[in-house]
Structure formats: structure tokens, C-alpha cells
């Protein structure tokens, strides 16, 4: 059996150094950067669509779409009317700072207020890769089970906020929103939690307010 941990550590150290370079650049530009992590199907892209729609241009967004194989999500972002760059990881299960650096060159949008990075659908390894973001947000959908935060605690530990999505499915699912919330807070008591349904729009306003607040804070610290 081979253990690759020391090699991984070297790689992640190089990644962290580059992430710091990106973070400095974002600070100078006053751009708020969000890293969205979730399992496949939790609703990252749909939440982004609701976010773009809800902010309605009041916050200028740019999006980097991490996708293992396709451009399906990038096309959805493009249709929603925001500048987007797709990063195909060729089956890779997370984004790295060097991918963000090269995507920024293609995004060519210096006049944005916030950059949202949709990470590859995976609740494990994206938590260990710094992308220069201000905040990680973990999205978890109710039908995945309200024990998800306990089974995959790393994402909840690394996150500033958790979005519990698909709350409209509560009547059809053994999982309970309240239990999901309690489990998430038991892993990380500092989590900001939003209960939303991207289908009905329920709870989306509180999420939009949080984004607006974080964007304003970042802008105020600019320079
Ligand atoms: Mg997606
Ligand atoms: Zn990975």
C-alpha cells in the first residue's frame, strides 16, 4: 500500500501560496469571492440562477464553473446573463488555485463586485483547496438526508454558511429541515444557515441579503 500524503501536502502548499496571491489581488479590486461546494445535484447551479435573478444587476457577478466533463452549467450561467468561464477538470474532482488564476484571465471582467466559483460536485476534497475565496458556502439538499452534515463534516467545518436547499420537499422526505440545521450547527456552531427552496423561491431573500452584506463589507475594506 502506498501513502501519498506527503506529496499531497507539497501540492497543497503550492496551492495555498498561489491562493494568497489571488486573495491579495481580490482585496485590491474589492471583489468578494465565494466558493460554492456541494454534492452533485444539491442545487448549486440552480441557487446561482436564483441569485443572479434576485440580485438583478445590483451586484455585478462573474462566475467560474467547475465541471468534470461538460459545459452544461456554464451555458446556464451564460443564459442567465453573467460573464462566465468554464473550467473542465477532465474528470478531476475539485478546483485548484492555478485553475482560478487561468480562468480569471479569460473572464476579463475587472468591473465585477463578486466572483462566484461553482466547485466540482463533491463534498470531500474541495474543502482542502484554498482558491483565494472570502467564504466557502456549502449547499446541501434535504433529500440527501438530514445526517449529511454528520457524515461529511469537513465541508461544514470549512464553510462560513450553509444553504439547506429543496425545503419544499420536506413533506415527501423522511429528512427534516430542523434536524439538518441542528446537525450542521453541531459540526460548526458559527455557520450562518439559510433554508431555501430554489423551486418556490422560499428563503432566497435572506440569502441575497447575506451576499449583499458581504459584498459591501469587502468593498469597504478595498485597498
Ligand atoms: Mg452545477
Ligand atoms: Zn479532488
Amino acid at each position: 500500500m502506498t501513502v501519498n500524503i506527503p506529496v499531497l501536502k507539497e501540492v497543497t502548499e503550492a496551492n495555498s501560496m498561489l491562493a494568497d496571491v489571488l486573495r491579495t489581488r481580490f482585496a485590491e479590486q474589492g471583489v468578494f469571492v465565494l466558493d460554492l461546494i456541494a454534492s452533485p445535484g444539491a442545487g448549486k447551479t440552480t441557487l446561482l440562477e436564483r441569485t443572479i435573478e434576485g440580485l438583478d444587476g445590483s451586484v455585478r457577478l462573474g462566475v467560474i464553473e467547475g465541471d468534470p466533463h461538460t459545459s452544461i452549467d456554464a451555458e446556464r450561467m451564460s443564459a442567465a446573463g453573467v460573464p462566465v468561464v468554464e473550467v473542465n477538470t477532465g474528470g478531476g474532482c475539485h478546483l485548484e488555485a492555478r485553475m482560478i488564476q487561468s480562468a480569471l484571465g479569460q473572464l476579463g471582467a475587472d468591473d465585477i463586485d463578486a466572483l462566484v466559483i461553482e466547485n466540482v460536485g463533491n463534498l470531500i476534497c474541495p474543502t482542502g483547496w484554498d482558491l483565494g475565496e472570502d467564504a466557502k458556502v456549502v449547499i446541501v439538499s434535504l433529500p440527501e438526508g438530514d445526517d449529511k452534515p454528520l457524515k461529511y463534516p469537513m465541508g461544514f467545518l470549512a464553510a462560513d454558511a450553509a444553504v439547506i436547499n429543496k425545503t419544499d420537499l420536506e413533506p415527501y422526505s423522511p429528512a427534516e429541515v430542523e434536524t439538518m440545521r441542528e446537525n450542521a450547527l453541531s459540526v460548526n456552531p458559527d455557520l450562518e444557515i439559510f433554508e431555501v427552496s430554489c423551486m418556490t423561491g422560499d428563503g432566497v431573500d435572506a440569502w441575497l441579503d447575506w451576499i449583499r452584506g458581504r459584498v459591501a463589507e469587502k468593498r469597504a475594506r478595498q485597498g
Side-chain angles (χ1 to χ4, degrees), residues 3-4 58 80 83 117 119 133 188 193:
V3 178
N4 283 320
S58 62
I117 301 166
N119 218 312
E133 75 275 1
N188 179 357
I193 297 194

Side-chain angles (χ1 to χ4, degrees), residues 93-94 122 125:
C93 50
H94 61 265
N122 176 345
C125 59

Side-chain angles (χ1 to χ4, degrees), residues 12-35 64 87 95-107 110 112 115 117 119 129-136 218 221-223:
T12 54
E13 270 169 16
N15 182 79
S16 297
M17 284 167 63
L18 180 54
D20 282 340
V21 171
L22 294 177
R23 189 170 280 110
T24 302
R25 171 173 166 183
F26 294 137
E28 284 166 1
Q29 296 172 336
V31 174
F32 173 63
V33 182
L34 202 59
D35 178 16
I64 293 176
V87 178
L95 294 176
E96 299 177 19
R98 62 185 170 85
M99 301 172 187
I100 304 306
Q101 186 184 42
S102 95
L104 283 171
Q106 301 167 55
L107 190 65
D110 285 330
I112 56 171
L115 174 70
I117 301 166
N119 218 312
W129 296 84
D130 188 354
L131 305 179
E133 75 275 1
D134 295 291
K136 282 192 197 295
K218 186 74 186 270
R221 285 201 312 268
Q222 184 179 5

Side-chain angles (χ1 to χ4, degrees), residues 5-166:
I5 290 168
V7 176
L8 180 65
K9 188 159 175 267
E10 258 171 52
V11 173
T12 54
E13 270 169 16
N15 182 79
S16 297
M17 284 167 63
L18 180 54
D20 282 340
V21 171
L22 294 177
R23 189 170 280 110
T24 302
R25 171 173 166 183
F26 294 137
E28 284 166 1
Q29 296 172 336
V31 174
F32 173 63
V33 182
L34 202 59
D35 178 16
L36 289 185
I37 58 176
S39 317
K44 295 186 294 302
T45 314
T46 308
L47 180 68
L48 257 172
E49 286 173 332
R50 293 293 88 79
T51 304
I52 292 163
E53 200 177 280
L55 291 173
D56 195 21
S58 62
V59 172
R60 295 164 304 173
L61 293 173
V63 175
I64 293 176
E65 274 294 339
D67 212 305
H69 296 290
T70 72
S71 59
I72 292 174
D73 288 355
E75 283 159 21
R76 287 170 65 184
M77 289 300 102
S78 212
V82 294
V84 58
V85 173
E86 165 198 326
V87 178
N88 265 143
T89 59
C93 50
H94 61 265
L95 294 176
E96 299 177 19
R98 62 185 170 85
M99 301 172 187
I100 304 306
Q101 186 184 42
S102 95
L104 283 171
Q106 301 167 55
L107 190 65
D110 285 330
D111 53 349
I112 56 171
D113 305 307
L115 174 70
V116 183
I117 301 166
E118 180 178 334
N119 218 312
V120 179
N122 176 345
L123 258 188
I124 300 181
C125 59
T127 63
W129 296 84
D130 188 354
L131 305 179
E133 75 275 1
D134 295 291
K136 282 192 197 295
V137 171
V138 61
I139 305 171
V140 61
S141 65
L142 194 68
E144 293 173 59
D146 53 27
D147 55 359
K148 203 82 186 262
L150 304 176
K151 292 171 73 179
Y152 295 86
M154 290 313 293
F156 294 83
L157 274 171
D160 297 69
V163 174
I164 301 173
N165 188 22
K166 309 189 190 178

